[in-house]
């Protein structure tokens, strides 16, 4: 009798291979960390599959997925199709958000300070050293600005947030483009570096006169004041979900080029100038098909259930038609025998298996 029971449950476990996949490992973008952690906690509660996501910066995320050290990487800097092919990777966008200049200026509060692109570039180049500089007073004639030193805080790690921020500055300031340029990391002329969006936010919070750049969720979490920024059409706008969505209105997502899209300095009266997208990076050829299937199941879950968490954290979900293109692109993920890992039909069976295995674990 005991032998029969052992044999029965052994057969069940063989029939339910996804039960063996108990943890998904990812690393990369700190920009996207708040929403990934929130979605991961929800996914764990429903499936008993744990998501371990390490917020180590986009550059490290690319490095780890390239080395096959994680199941997925996350980067706010999209890779070109040539780079993806060379590394054997596939990428797809998960979510969009607003990169936000945050400040700690005594007496200046949320959305009171107005900046345009060239002035923001001058601040981060060290050409504006006091908050009562004439350039700043000209943009803010009714605002009382203190005679206080500007303290620039930037990222010290390889960061997709930095890539989008410097990409924007390169578009709006020839001086910046010619002397510093864009990248996951640049040679900052002034300021001090911190790790991650959280590190920049925490440092800005502690230094009067500080300015930094973080994803909007971190500005809210740390209760930081942020600026209004002049967009391409000449309107001063706030960072939020609406202005991020406006910046993405003209995006043309295409699976054929890895959904490559940069949203900075987009046209539109209500567009936020430094909108960004986080891309998930997965391997096109996988050794563990069940692990890869569970990974894609998580992303499917994220797209199906992510709208409310995104609203709560002021991220922006992708349009539904783009999500359908993304799901279709998963047919490029193959196992060692060249078989497609993902299918809607297969996902349905996997979901039932996961729920059943969860019941066994709880009982």
């Amino acid at each position: 009798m005991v032998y029969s029971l052992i044999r029965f449950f052994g057969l069940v476990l063989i029939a339910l291979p996804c039960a063996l996949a108990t943890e998904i490992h990812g690393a990369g973008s700190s920009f996207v960390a708040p929403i990934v952690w929130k979605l991961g906690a929800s996914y764990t509660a429903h499936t008993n599959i744990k998501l371990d996501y390490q917020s180590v910066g986009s550059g490290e995320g690319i490095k780890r997925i390239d080395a096959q050290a994680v199941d997925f990487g996350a980067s706010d800097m999209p890779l070109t199709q040539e780079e993806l092919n060379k590394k054997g990777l596939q990428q797809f966008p998960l979510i969009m958000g607003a990169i936000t200049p945050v400040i700690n200026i005594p007496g200046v509060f949320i959305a009171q300070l107005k900046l345009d692109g060239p002035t923001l570039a001058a601040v981060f180049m060290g050409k504006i050293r006091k908050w009562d500089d004439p350039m700043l007073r000209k943009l803010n004639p009714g605002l009382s600005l203190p005679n206080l030193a500007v303290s620039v805080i930037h990222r010290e790690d390889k960061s997709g947030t930095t890539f989008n921020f410097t990409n924007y500055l390169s578009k709006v300031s020839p001086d910046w483009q010619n002397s510093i340029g864009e990248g996951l990391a640049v040679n900052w002329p002034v300021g001090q570096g911190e790790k991650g969006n959280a590190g920049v936010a925490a440092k800005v919070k502690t230094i009067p006169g500080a300015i930094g750049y973080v994803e909007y969720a971190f500005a809210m979490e740390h209760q930081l004041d942020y600026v209004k920024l002049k967009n391409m059409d000449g309107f001063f706008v706030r960072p939020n979900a609406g202005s991020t969505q406006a910046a993405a209105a003209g995006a043309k997502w295409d699976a054929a080029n890895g959904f490559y899209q940069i949203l900075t300095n987009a046209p539109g009266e209500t567009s936020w100038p430094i909108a960004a997208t986080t891309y998930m990076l997965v391997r096109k050829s996988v050794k563990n098909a069940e692990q890869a299937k569970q990974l894609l199941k998580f992303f499917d879950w994220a797209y199906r259930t992510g709208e409310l968490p995104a609203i709560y954290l002021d991220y922006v979900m992708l349009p539904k038609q783009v999500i359908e293109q993304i799901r279709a692109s998963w047919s490029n993920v193959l196992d060692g025998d060249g078989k497609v890992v993902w299918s809607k039909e297969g996902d349905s069976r996997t979901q039932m298996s996961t729920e059943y295995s969860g019941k066994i674990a709880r009982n």
Side-chain angles (χ1 to χ4, degrees):
M1 178 67 176
V2 172
Y3 173 78
S4 297
L5 286 172
I6 292 173
R7 186 169 182 272
F8 169 76
F9 281 108
L11 290 171
V12 168
L13 290 175
I14 291 172
L16 302 173
C18 68
L20 300 176
T22 58
E23 193 161 315
I24 298 167
H25 298 275
S29 162
S30 64
F31 175 100
V32 80
I35 187 72
V36 169
W37 286 331
K38 196 167 188 67
L39 289 169
S42 175
Y43 190 67
T44 300
H46 283 79
T47 66
N48 287 334
I49 307 297
K50 181 183 176 183
L51 177 75
D52 170 39
Y53 181 73
Q54 297 182 29
S55 173
V56 290
S58 295
E60 184 65 19
I62 295 169
K63 179 180 177 181
R64 292 190 190 184
I65 186 62
D66 192 27
Q68 303 187 50
V70 290
D71 298 313
F72 72 96
S75 173
D76 313 316
M77 181 188 75
L79 300 184
T80 65
Q81 192 60 53
E82 183 180 357
E83 291 171 317
L84 292 168
N85 291 340
K86 183 178 180 180
K87 295 177 181 293
L89 298 176
Q90 177 176 340
Q91 76 181 2
F92 49 88
L94 180 68
I95 209 156
M96 300 176 287
I99 296 173
T100 307
V102 289
I103 54 173
N104 180 358
I105 307 173
V108 179
F109 305 106
I110 286 178
Q112 287 187 327
L113 183 70
K114 294 179 180 179
L115 294 176
D116 59 20
T119 305
L120 182 64
V123 169
F124 276 83
M125 292 178 76
K127 294 188 174 183
I128 294 177
R129 297 185 175 274
K130 296 277 190 176
W131 283 112
D132 62 351
D133 186 275
M135 287 180 68
L136 295 173
R137 286 193 280 111
K138 183 177 180 180
L139 284 170
N140 299 272
L143 190 60
S144 179
L145 292 168
N147 181 24
L148 178 66
V150 173
S151 295
V152 169
I153 311 297
H154 56 74
R155 292 284 289 273
E156 69 176 15
D157 50 333
K158 290 186 176 180
S159 156
T161 307
T162 294
F163 166 75
N164 284 281
F165 186 68
T166 56
N167 173 272
Y168 165 71
L169 294 180
S170 294
K171 287 177 177 177
V172 297
S173 169
D175 197 8
W176 181 280
Q177 182 181 33
N178 294 331
S179 60
I180 299 169
E182 65 184 56
L184 292 170
V186 297
N187 292 320
W188 297 97
V190 293
Q192 64 182 92
E194 295 292 333
K195 286 187 178 181
N197 274 268
V200 171
K203 183 59 69 173
V204 170
K205 185 81 172 178
T206 63
I207 300 177
I211 183 170
Y213 56 95
V214 298
E215 200 283 323
Y216 183 74
F218 290 88
M220 294 296 94
E221 179 185 352
H222 290 264
Q223 298 181 323
L224 290 168
D225 297 315
Y226 55 78
V227 308
K228 274 186 176 179
L229 201 53
K230 192 175 184 179
N231 64 20
M232 177 187 278
D233 286 11
F235 294 88
F236 286 96
V237 294
R238 293 177 179 233
N240 54 40
S243 59
T244 300
Q245 198 161 22
K252 293 179 173 59
W253 306 100
D254 185 359
N257 70 349
F259 297 98
Y260 190 98
Q261 193 73 226
I262 297 175
L263 303 177
T264 59
N265 205 34
E269 292 184 8
T270 61
S271 294
W272 178 248
I274 327 179
T277 307
T278 299
Y279 289 83
M280 301 296 104
L281 296 164
V282 300
R283 300 209 65 82
K284 291 177 71 173
S285 178
V286 298
K287 297 177 181 178
N288 187 331
E290 292 301 329
Q291 184 74 7
K293 186 182 293 183
Q294 192 59 250
L295 171 64
L296 296 177
K297 270 191 60 185
F298 166 69
F299 289 132
D300 178 60
W301 169 273
Y303 291 127
R304 286 190 287 111
T305 67
E307 189 169 355
L308 285 178
I311 291 171
Y312 177 76
L313 292 169
D314 281 286
Y315 290 92
V316 174
M317 293 293 290
L318 294 154
K320 286 182 171 55
Q321 64 270 25
V322 178
I323 293 173
E324 287 308 308
Q325 290 182 54
I326 291 167
R327 287 193 179 101
S329 77
W330 293 344
S331 64
N332 294 320
V333 180
L334 308 176
D335 66 13
D337 296 324
K339 294 180 180 178
V340 175
V341 168
W342 170 264
S343 71
K344 286 187 176 180
E345 186 178 331
D347 173 62
S348 176
R349 291 195 299 269
T350 304
Q351 179 67 36
M352 291 173 61
S353 300
T354 304
E355 290 173 355
Y356 184 61
S357 65
K359 289 177 182 177
I360 292 175
R362 287 191 292 272
N363 292 335

